[in-house]
Amino acid sequence: MAKSKIDIPVVINNKVYTLSGYEGEDYLQNVATYINGKIAECKTSEEYRRMNVEYQGILLALNIADDYFKAKNKADDVANDNNDKEQQLYELRHEVIETQIKHEAALKLVEEYKEQVNALQRKVVQLEAERERASE
């Protein structure tokens, strides 16, 4: 089922705007809250308050772009770290499989050696019996 587009009124910088989107009312309200937070942050600067509206808008956009690129870099770092961990996991799984194969081969070799030891022990018993008969 496709989401339907919604329109909600929000207050940004003491003015009412209508935001539209498919993300949901909470998401759109969070966007407006974020913008209001950035505006409030910029307004704490005396230099910002002295700028004309155009420069204020540019500074606000730059601050939002800065947040975006920092968040994107962090997300990229997490994705790269995730890829590294997936590669390490793949290598460890491969190593486990190789170790299991070696282990199974070693167990098979142990069984072969046990059979050889048993055969040699039977041969020793047979030879001792033959020696005893020969010495009688």
Side-chain angles (χ1 to χ4, degrees):
M1 182 168 125
K3 288 185 176 182
S4 59
K5 187 175 181 181
I6 62 165
D7 297 328
I8 66 163
V10 296
V11 176
I12 298 175
N13 201 23
N14 299 320
K15 293 181 183 171
V16 177
Y17 295 91
T18 300
L19 293 185
S20 298
Y22 297 96
E23 292 82 2
E25 191 171 325
D26 288 344
Y27 176 82
L28 295 174
Q29 191 61 51
N30 285 337
V31 169
T33 300
Y34 172 77
I35 297 297
N36 280 321
K38 292 310 286 184
I39 292 170
E41 183 181 317
C42 287
K43 283 183 176 180
T44 62
S45 165
E46 182 66 35
E47 293 83 17
Y48 177 84
R49 289 193 305 265
R50 281 191 259 147
M51 292 178 181
N52 68 36
V53 174
E54 182 182 356
Y55 282 146
Q56 286 179 346
I58 295 295
L59 185 60
L60 180 63
L62 287 170
N63 275 274
I64 292 169
D66 180 55
D67 286 352
Y68 166 78
F69 283 107
K70 285 177 181 173
K72 184 177 182 321
N73 286 339
K74 190 178 282 189
D76 290 346
D77 289 346
V78 168
N80 289 335
D81 188 45
N82 189 40
N83 289 339
D84 290 345
K85 287 188 181 352
E86 285 179 10
Q87 180 63 34
Q88 289 173 351
L89 183 60
Y90 172 81
E91 290 169 2
L92 287 171
R93 285 181 177 156
H94 187 70
E95 189 176 317
V96 166
I97 291 169
E98 286 178 352
T99 303
Q100 285 175 331
I101 291 169
K102 288 177 184 176
H103 177 70
E104 289 171 7
L107 288 177
K108 187 175 180 180
L109 195 57
V110 166
E111 287 302 315
E112 289 174 8
Y113 287 155
K114 282 182 182 178
E115 289 175 16
Q116 289 176 5
V117 166
N118 287 337
L120 289 171
Q121 285 175 339
R122 285 191 300 274
K123 185 71 169 174
V124 166
V125 169
Q126 179 186 1
L127 289 173
E128 286 178 348
E130 287 176 8
R131 186 179 58 140
E132 281 184 24
R133 277 187 294 233
S135 66
E136 292 177 356

